[in-house]
Each structure stands twice: as structure tokens, then as C-alpha cells.
Amino acid sequence: MQRTLCFLFLFFFSVLARAELTVEITQGVDEPTPVAVVPFSWSGVQALPEDVAKVVGDDLYRSGMFKIMPRENMLSFPSDRSSLYFRDWRISGSDFIVIGRISEAEGQLTVAFELYDILKEERILGEEIKANRTNLRAVGHYISDKVFEALTGVRGAFSTRIVYVTAKQLAPSKHRYRLMLADSDGHNPRTILESKEPIMSPAWSRDGSKLAYVSFESGRPAVYIQYLATGKREKVQSFRGLNGAPSWSPDGRQLALVLSKDGNPEIYVLDLQQRRLTRITHHFGIDTEPSWSPDGQSLIFTSDRGGQPQIYSIYLPTRDVTRLTFEGQYNARGRLTQDGRFLAMVHQSNGSFHIAVQDLRTGRVDLLTETFMDESPTIAPNGSIILYATQEGVRGVLSAVSLDGRVKFRLPSSDGDVREPAWSPFQ
């Protein structure tokens, strides 16, 4: 029965257009921690292509957990401990301060930064980083990761990347689709693949070196693997019917797939070295959207075997199947946090599709979004943020929400729609 095929795998999105993403904070924590990020001093002659301190400040603000002091409100611009007067910064209301300096010698840059607790007048951390003019944004993200972890206890994920799918309408029946790669803040977008046919379901390998995705370039769905360093791509075994929803095993040796080569959509696992295909599910219902558990021992997947789409887990050594979701008539596209405790998913409520999270220890389900057509959740590698696609008016945007629902932001494109996000692992 094809009743649920659109929920499965062939979810065709509306007309899209390529654009760089921007970040708009829509909701943060009630009492964000006040932090001052002072412009880094520069001892060179030629102007730098990036403002490292601005990258850091923007990252911390984008997390929704910090209030960043405007530069025009700063009384001074210290770059080292000797020029830092804690009393002035206490008066300004900041709890923490990031200072830094950039120097150049023989064509190489040295970026030094320090984080201080203003109230305690103590240095929390400091480091020197070798850099060049082309990777200063990456240095800024690295510093943001360090500061974020020092102040929250959670590893920062600003240095990670995202992929997403765009398309542009060239004529009433002609489109151009692109698989895009960008920094986690939407900067530095580049095209990984361009096609006249749809591209779907991008998935990262756990080492961040490869992508798997579905392309219709041959006129029918097929799974491809793309090597990011070289641009090399290879077509995975292609079968009649559906070939889709690839998901990498934690060790990178296997791909979970959805195939309908035997007449019904089922979950399979492909050994990439031996090219051995193993069928995992055997049911008359539709099984789709596989995703690996962090330990590689189980797959979670969506199935309508109980009458409505719900999320199940199959323990691979024994093939025992356990139903995970019971609240509501529709739960799909499940993704686990790296600790295996929380399950992010698309949950239908009052006729609309929202992003929800379920605590697998307690069974509690929390609705995180209020928009009406949310899909494709993907979780930051530190487990703090869920990125997803949604509708804003008549166009699609990427939005994000923290696991506790306290922080929300959007990543709209400047002139079009984006879909199918996937967040990279730690690099």
C-alpha cells in the first residue's frame, strides 16, 4: 500500500533556491550570561580579512545562552592582563571577558586569546593558535568552542559543519538542485553536487570525511557516497524500486538503507568493504528512515506496522524489535543524541507536524516547536541543538531549537528555501 510513501522517503519539497544562510535568534534563555568579547589587537600592517573577536561574539550570541556587550559600550579595549581593569568591567555588568591579540611573523599569524572571570578576577583559560589569513574564521570558531565549554561544561560545536539541499526553478518544469556544505553558522557555503534531478537524505560518516545521499540523476533513486577531500563519488549498489535513506554505522563500515527490491520497503544493511547486503526487517508494514544507535548495536526506524507511523528499535544481534513511541498518532524520523538518552523526532499534534524530544529513560515527550510543517531533525554532535527544516510563509527555512526548548533561532536564506539539513560530527 502506497498510503504512507510520502512519509517514508519520497518527501518532495517545494521549489527551492540557492542562498547563503544567516542566523536570526528568535528566543534565548531568560537570563543569558553577560560576556564581553573585546576586539583583538593587531600588530600587522595589512588589514586582516576576518574579525576574529566578532566571529567569537556572534557564535556565543547565536547559542542563545550569552548576552554579548556591544563594542560601543566598552570603556576600553584591553588585549592582555596588564591592561585589563576588572573594576571597570564589573561596573559595565559583564561576568566574563574574552581578550586577545594577533601578530604576524614570516607570513604566519599567531592568535592569542584569554578568558577571564571578572567577578573573581581570575583567568579561566588561554591559548596561542598558529593561523594564516585564510583560516581566521575557523580560528574564531575554535576559540568559541573553548569558551563555550569553559562556561557551560558542554563541548562547543561551532567548528562543525552542516549540509543541506537547495534547488532553483529555471522554468515551470525545470529545476536545478544543489547539495550544499557550509559552516555551522551558514558561512562559507560551497556546492558539493549540482543536478537537474532531486537530491535527498544527505548523511555524514562518523569521521566527517564522507557523505551519503540519494540522487535521481539516472532517472530513478540511487545512493551515492561522496568523498569531501577529493570530490570523488561512487554509486552504491542500486536495486529496482526504492533506494534511499542512507545512514552510516558508527565505525563507518556499513550503511543502513531502505530498499523495496523485494516488493515492500524494508531496512537493509550494506557492508561497504565486502558489498554484502543483509535484510534487517521482515514485515508487511512500511519500514523506513533507519538511524544507528551510538554503540552500533541497534537501528531505530519508522514503521507503520502498528497502523500509524511510529518509531521502533531493532537490536541487531537478536533482531528483537521494540516500539519506542506511543504518544500521538504520528512519530517519525527519529534521531538519537550521542549519549543515547534522548530521541528527537517529527511528532504530529493537532494536525501539524512539530519537532519533539522523548526521554527514553522516563518516556516523557516534550514538544519543542510551534511551527506547523517541521521535518528532518538533525542533532548537533554535542547534543545541545536540534536543526530542522520548516516553513516560513510560502518558503522553507532551517530553524533550530535547544534540547530543552529554551533557545530558538532560524537560518533563513537570503532569497530562497533550503531543506534536508544534516549536522556533521565533531571534526
Side-chain angles (χ1 to χ4, degrees), residues 172-229:
S173 60
K174 186 178 180 181
H175 301 83
R176 182 174 62 200
Y177 299 84
R178 287 190 176 102
L179 177 62
M180 302 297 299
L181 170 70
D183 295 346
S184 65
D185 60 358
H187 283 264
N188 297 323
R190 66 183 177 97
T191 301
I192 300 299
L193 176 68
E194 184 172 329
S195 175
K196 297 177 182 179
E197 301 297 333
I199 304 167
M200 300 178 64
S201 306
W204 290 87
S205 63
R206 293 300 174 93
D207 64 1
S209 67
K210 299 181 287 294
L211 292 172
Y213 53 85
V214 177
S215 173
F216 285 72
E217 62 197 68
S218 63
R220 54 188 301 271
V223 176
Y224 291 80
I225 292 176
Q226 183 102 17
Y227 295 79
L228 295 178

Coordinates of all heavy atoms in Angstrom, one line a residue, residues 172-229:
P172 N 9.1 26.4 -15.7 CA 8.0 25.8 -15.0 C 8.2 24.3 -14.7 O 7.7 23.8 -13.6 CB 6.8 25.9 -16.0 CG 7.1 27.2 -16.7 CD 8.6 27.2 -16.8
S173 N 8.9 23.6 -15.5 CA 9.1 22.1 -15.2 C 10.6 21.8 -15.2 O 11.0 20.6 -15.3 CB 8.4 21.3 -16.3 OG 8.9 21.6 -17.6
K174 N 11.4 22.8 -14.9 CA 12.9 22.6 -14.9 C 13.5 23.2 -13.6 O 13.2 24.3 -13.3 CB 13.5 23.2 -16.1 CG 15.0 22.9 -16.3 CD 15.5 23.5 -17.6 CE 17.0 23.3 -17.8 NZ 17.5 23.9 -19.0
H175 N 14.3 22.4 -12.9 CA 14.9 22.8 -11.6 C 16.4 22.5 -11.6 O 16.8 21.6 -12.4 CB 14.2 22.2 -10.4 CG 12.7 22.4 -10.3 ND1 11.8 21.7 -11.0 CD2 12.1 23.4 -9.6 CE1 10.6 22.2 -10.8 NE2 10.7 23.2 -9.9
R176 N 17.1 23.2 -10.8 CA 18.5 22.9 -10.5 C 18.7 22.6 -9.0 O 18.4 23.5 -8.2 CB 19.4 24.0 -11.0 CG 20.9 23.7 -10.8 CD 21.7 24.8 -11.5 NE 21.5 26.1 -10.8 CZ 21.7 27.3 -11.3 NH1 22.2 27.3 -12.6 NH2 21.5 28.4 -10.7
Y177 N 19.1 21.4 -8.7 CA 19.2 21.1 -7.3 C 20.7 21.1 -6.9 O 21.6 20.7 -7.7 CB 18.7 19.7 -7.1 CG 17.2 19.5 -7.4 CD1 16.8 19.3 -8.7 CD2 16.3 19.7 -6.4 CE1 15.4 19.2 -9.0 CE2 14.9 19.5 -6.7 CZ 14.5 19.3 -8.0 OH 13.2 19.2 -8.2
R178 N 21.0 21.5 -5.7 CA 22.3 21.5 -5.2 C 22.4 20.9 -3.8 O 21.5 21.1 -2.9 CB 22.9 22.9 -5.1 CG 23.2 23.6 -6.5 CD 23.9 24.9 -6.2 NE 24.4 25.5 -7.5 CZ 23.8 26.5 -8.1 NH1 22.7 27.0 -7.5 NH2 24.3 27.0 -9.2
L179 N 23.5 20.1 -3.6 CA 23.8 19.7 -2.2 C 24.9 20.6 -1.7 O 26.0 20.8 -2.3 CB 24.4 18.3 -2.3 CG 24.8 17.7 -0.9 CD1 23.7 17.6 0.1 CD2 25.4 16.3 -1.2
M180 N 24.6 21.4 -0.6 CA 25.5 22.4 -0.1 C 26.2 22.0 1.2 O 25.6 21.3 2.0 CB 24.7 23.7 0.1 CG 23.9 24.2 -1.1 SD 25.0 24.7 -2.5 CE 25.9 26.0 -1.7
L181 N 27.4 22.5 1.3 CA 28.2 22.3 2.6 C 28.5 23.7 3.1 O 28.9 24.6 2.3 CB 29.4 21.6 2.3 CG 30.5 21.5 3.4 CD1 30.0 20.6 4.5 CD2 31.8 20.9 2.8
A182 N 28.3 24.0 4.4 CA 28.6 25.3 5.0 C 29.1 25.1 6.4 O 28.9 24.0 7.0 CB 27.4 26.2 5.0
D183 N 29.7 26.2 7.0 CA 30.0 26.2 8.4 C 28.7 26.1 9.2 O 27.6 26.4 8.7 CB 30.8 27.4 8.8 CG 32.1 27.5 8.1 OD1 32.6 26.5 7.5 OD2 32.7 28.6 8.1
S184 N 28.8 25.8 10.5 CA 27.6 25.7 11.3 C 26.8 27.0 11.4 O 25.6 27.0 11.7 CB 28.0 25.2 12.7 OG 28.7 26.2 13.4
D185 N 27.5 28.1 11.1 CA 26.8 29.4 11.2 C 26.3 29.8 9.8 O 25.8 31.0 9.6 CB 27.7 30.5 11.8 CG 29.0 30.7 11.0 OD1 29.2 30.0 10.0 OD2 29.8 31.6 11.4
G186 N 26.4 28.9 8.8 CA 25.9 29.2 7.4 C 26.9 29.9 6.5 O 26.6 30.1 5.3
H187 N 28.0 30.3 7.1 CA 29.1 30.9 6.2 C 29.8 29.9 5.4 O 29.8 28.7 5.6 CB 30.0 31.7 7.1 CG 29.5 33.0 7.6 ND1 29.7 34.2 7.0 CD2 28.7 33.3 8.7 CE1 29.1 35.2 7.7 NE2 28.5 34.7 8.7
N188 N 30.5 30.4 4.4 CA 31.4 29.6 3.5 C 30.6 28.5 2.8 O 31.1 27.3 2.8 CB 32.6 29.0 4.3 CG 33.5 30.1 4.9 OD1 33.7 31.1 4.2 ND2 34.0 29.9 6.1
P189 N 29.5 28.8 2.2 CA 28.8 27.7 1.5 C 29.5 27.3 0.3 O 30.1 28.2 -0.4 CB 27.4 28.4 1.2 CG 27.7 29.8 1.1 CD 28.8 30.1 2.1
R190 N 29.5 26.1 0.0 CA 30.0 25.6 -1.3 C 29.2 24.4 -1.8 O 28.6 23.7 -1.0 CB 31.5 25.2 -1.2 CG 31.8 24.0 -0.3 CD 33.4 23.8 -0.3 NE 33.8 22.7 0.6 CZ 34.1 21.5 0.1 NH1 33.9 21.2 -1.2 NH2 34.5 20.6 1.0
T191 N 29.2 24.3 -3.1 CA 28.4 23.3 -3.8 C 29.1 22.0 -3.8 O 30.2 21.9 -4.4 CB 28.0 23.7 -5.2 OG1 27.2 24.9 -5.1 CG2 27.1 22.7 -5.8
I192 N 28.5 20.9 -3.3 CA 29.1 19.6 -3.4 C 28.6 18.9 -4.6 O 29.4 18.2 -5.3 CB 28.7 18.8 -2.1 CG1 29.2 19.4 -0.8 CG2 29.2 17.3 -2.2 CD1 30.7 19.6 -0.8
L193 N 27.4 19.0 -5.0 CA 26.8 18.4 -6.1 C 25.7 19.3 -6.7 O 24.9 19.8 -6.0 CB 26.2 17.0 -5.8 CG 25.5 16.2 -6.9 CD1 26.5 15.8 -7.9 CD2 24.8 15.0 -6.3
E194 N 25.7 19.3 -8.0 CA 24.6 20.0 -8.7 C 24.0 19.1 -9.7 O 24.7 18.3 -10.4 CB 25.2 21.3 -9.5 CG 24.1 22.1 -10.1 CD 24.7 23.4 -10.7 OE1 25.7 23.9 -10.1 OE2 24.1 23.9 -11.7
S195 N 22.6 19.1 -9.8 CA 21.9 18.2 -10.6 C 20.6 18.8 -11.1 O 20.0 19.6 -10.4 CB 21.7 16.9 -9.9 OG 20.9 16.0 -10.6
K196 N 20.1 18.3 -12.2 CA 18.8 18.6 -12.7 C 17.7 17.8 -12.0 O 16.5 18.2 -12.2 CB 18.8 18.4 -14.2 CG 19.7 19.2 -15.1 CD 19.6 18.9 -16.5 CE 20.6 19.7 -17.3 NZ 20.5 19.4 -18.8
E197 N 18.1 16.8 -11.3 CA 17.2 15.9 -10.7 C 17.3 16.0 -9.2 O 18.3 16.5 -8.6 CB 17.4 14.4 -11.1 CG 17.3 14.2 -12.6 CD 15.9 14.5 -13.1 OE1 14.9 14.4 -12.4 OE2 15.8 14.8 -14.3
P198 N 16.3 15.7 -8.4 CA 16.3 15.8 -6.9 C 17.4 15.1 -6.2 O 17.9 14.1 -6.7 CB 14.9 15.2 -6.5 CG 14.1 15.4 -7.7 CD 15.0 15.2 -8.9
I199 N 17.9 15.8 -5.2 CA 18.9 15.2 -4.2 C 18.2 15.1 -2.9 O 17.6 16.1 -2.5 CB 20.1 16.1 -4.2 CG1 20.7 16.3 -5.6 CG2 21.2 15.5 -3.2 CD1 21.8 17.4 -5.7
M200 N 18.4 14.0 -2.2 CA 17.7 13.9 -0.9 C 18.6 13.2 0.1 O 19.6 12.6 -0.2 CB 16.5 13.0 -1.1 CG 15.5 13.6 -2.1 SD 14.0 12.5 -2.3 CE 13.4 12.5 -0.6
S201 N 18.2 13.3 1.4 CA 18.7 12.5 2.5 C 20.2 12.5 2.7 O 20.8 11.4 2.8 CB 18.2 11.0 2.4 OG 16.8 11.0 2.2
P202 N 20.9 13.6 2.7 CA 22.3 13.6 3.0 C 22.6 13.1 4.4 O 21.9 13.4 5.3 CB 22.8 15.0 2.8 CG 21.5 15.8 3.1 CD 20.4 15.0 2.6
A203 N 23.7 12.3 4.5 CA 24.1 11.7 5.8 C 25.6 11.7 5.9 O 26.3 11.4 5.0 CB 23.6 10.3 6.0
W204 N 26.1 12.1 7.1 CA 27.6 12.2 7.3 C 28.1 10.8 7.8 O 27.5 10.2 8.6 CB 27.9 13.2 8.4 CG 27.7 14.6 8.0 CD1 26.5 15.4 8.1 CD2 28.7 15.5 7.5 NE1 26.7 16.6 7.7 CE2 28.1 16.8 7.3 CE3 30.0 15.4 7.2 CZ2 28.8 17.9 6.8 CZ3 30.7 16.5 6.8 CH2 30.1 17.7 6.6
S205 N 29.3 10.5 7.4 CA 30.0 9.4 8.0 C 30.5 9.9 9.4 O 30.7 11.2 9.6 CB 31.2 9.0 7.2 OG 32.2 10.0 7.0
R206 N 30.8 9.0 10.3 CA 31.1 9.5 11.7 C 32.5 10.2 11.8 O 32.8 10.9 12.7 CB 31.1 8.3 12.6 CG 29.7 7.7 12.8 CD 28.7 8.7 13.4 NE 27.4 8.2 13.4 CZ 26.8 7.7 14.5 NH1 27.5 7.4 15.6 NH2 25.6 7.2 14.5
D207 N 33.4 10.0 10.8 CA 34.6 10.7 10.8 C 34.6 12.0 10.0 O 35.6 12.7 9.9 CB 35.8 9.8 10.2 CG 35.6 9.5 8.8 OD1 34.6 9.9 8.2 OD2 36.4 8.7 8.2
G208 N 33.4 12.3 9.5 CA 33.2 13.6 8.8 C 33.9 13.7 7.4 O 33.9 14.8 6.9
S209 N 34.4 12.6 6.9 CA 35.1 12.7 5.6 C 34.2 12.4 4.4 O 34.7 12.7 3.3 CB 36.3 11.7 5.6 OG 35.8 10.4 5.7
K210 N 33.1 11.8 4.6 CA 32.2 11.4 3.5 C 30.8 11.7 3.8 O 30.3 11.9 4.9 CB 32.4 9.9 3.3 CG 33.8 9.4 3.0 CD 33.8 7.9 2.8 CE 33.7 7.1 4.1 NZ 34.8 7.3 5.0
L211 N 30.1 11.8 2.7 CA 28.6 12.0 2.7 C 28.0 10.9 1.9 O 28.5 10.4 0.9 CB 28.2 13.3 2.1 CG 28.5 14.6 2.8 CD1 28.2 15.8 1.9 CD2 27.8 14.7 4.1
A212 N 26.8 10.4 2.4 CA 26.0 9.5 1.5 C 24.7 10.3 1.3 O 24.2 11.1 2.1 CB 25.7 8.2 2.3
Y213 N 24.1 10.1 0.1 CA 22.9 10.8 -0.2 C 22.2 10.1 -1.4 O 22.7 9.2 -2.0 CB 23.2 12.3 -0.6 CG 24.2 12.4 -1.7 CD1 23.9 12.3 -3.1 CD2 25.6 12.6 -1.4 CE1 24.8 12.4 -4.1 CE2 26.5 12.7 -2.4 CZ 26.1 12.6 -3.7 OH 27.1 12.7 -4.7
V214 N 21.0 10.5 -1.6 CA 20.2 9.9 -2.7 C 20.1 10.9 -3.8 O 19.8 12.1 -3.6 CB 18.7 9.6 -2.2 CG1 17.9 9.0 -3.3 CG2 18.8 8.6 -1.0
S215 N 20.3 10.4 -5.0 CA 20.2 11.3 -6.2 C 19.4 10.6 -7.2 O 19.4 9.3 -7.4 CB 21.6 11.5 -6.8 OG 21.5 12.2 -8.0
F216 N 18.6 11.4 -8.0 CA 17.7 10.8 -9.0 C 18.3 11.1 -10.4 O 17.6 11.1 -11.4 CB 16.3 11.5 -8.9 CG 15.5 10.9 -7.8 CD1 15.8 11.2 -6.5 CD2 14.4 10.2 -8.1 CE1 15.0 10.8 -5.4 CE2 13.6 9.7 -7.1 CZ 13.9 10.0 -5.7
E217 N 19.6 11.4 -10.5 CA 20.2 11.8 -11.7 C 20.1 10.8 -12.8 O 20.2 11.2 -14.0 CB 21.7 12.2 -11.5 CG 22.5 11.0 -11.0 CD 23.8 11.5 -10.4 OE1 23.8 12.1 -9.3 OE2 24.9 11.2 -11.0
S218 N 19.9 9.5 -12.5 CA 19.8 8.5 -13.5 C 18.3 8.2 -13.9 O 18.0 7.3 -14.7 CB 20.4 7.2 -13.0 OG 19.8 6.7 -11.9
G219 N 17.4 9.0 -13.3 CA 16.0 8.9 -13.6 C 15.3 8.0 -12.5 O 14.1 8.0 -12.5
R220 N 16.1 7.4 -11.6 CA 15.5 6.6 -10.5 C 16.4 6.8 -9.3 O 17.5 7.2 -9.4 CB 15.4 5.1 -10.9 CG 16.7 4.5 -11.4 CD 16.4 3.1 -11.9 NE 15.9 2.3 -10.9 CZ 16.6 1.6 -10.1 NH1 17.9 1.6 -10.1 NH2 16.0 0.8 -9.2
P221 N 15.8 6.6 -8.1 CA 16.7 6.8 -6.9 C 17.8 5.9 -6.8 O 17.7 4.7 -7.0 CB 15.7 6.7 -5.8 CG 14.6 5.7 -6.3 CD 14.5 6.1 -7.8
A222 N 19.0 6.5 -6.4 CA 20.2 5.7 -6.2 C 21.0 6.3 -5.1 O 20.9 7.6 -4.9 CB 21.0 5.5 -7.4
V223 N 21.7 5.6 -4.3 CA 22.5 6.1 -3.2 C 24.0 6.3 -3.7 O 24.5 5.4 -4.3 CB 22.5 5.1 -2.0 CG1 23.4 5.6 -0.9 CG2 21.0 5.0 -1.5
Y224 N 24.5 7.4 -3.4 CA 25.9 7.7 -3.7 C 26.7 8.1 -2.5 O 26.2 8.5 -1.4 CB 26.0 8.9 -4.7 CG 25.4 8.7 -6.0 CD1 24.1 8.7 -6.3 CD2 26.3 8.4 -7.1 CE1 23.5 8.4 -7.6 CE2 25.8 8.2 -8.4 CZ 24.4 8.2 -8.6 OH 23.9 7.9 -9.8
I225 N 28.0 7.8 -2.5 CA 28.9 8.2 -1.5 C 29.9 9.3 -2.1 O 30.4 9.1 -3.2 CB 29.8 7.1 -0.9 CG1 28.8 6.1 -0.2 CG2 30.9 7.5 0.0 CD1 29.5 4.8 0.3
Q226 N 30.0 10.4 -1.4 CA 30.9 11.5 -1.8 C 32.1 11.7 -0.8 O 31.8 11.8 0.4 CB 30.1 12.8 -1.9 CG 30.9 14.0 -2.4 CD 30.6 14.3 -3.8 OE1 29.6 13.8 -4.4 NE2 31.4 15.1 -4.5
Y227 N 33.3 11.7 -1.3 CA 34.5 11.9 -0.5 C 34.8 13.4 -0.6 O 35.1 14.0 -1.6 CB 35.7 11.1 -1.0 CG 35.5 9.6 -0.9 CD1 34.7 8.9 -1.9 CD2 36.0 8.9 0.1 CE1 34.5 7.6 -1.8 CE2 35.8 7.5 0.2 CZ 35.1 6.9 -0.7 OH 34.9 5.5 -0.6
L228 N 34.7 14.1 0.6 CA 34.8 15.5 0.6 C 36.1 16.1 0.3 O 36.3 17.1 -0.3 CB 34.3 16.0 2.0 CG 32.8 15.8 2.3 CD1 32.5 16.2 3.7 CD2 31.9 16.4 1.3
A229 N 37.2 15.4 0.7 CA 38.5 15.9 0.4 C 38.9 15.9 -1.0 O 39.6 16.8 -1.5 CB 39.6 15.1 1.2

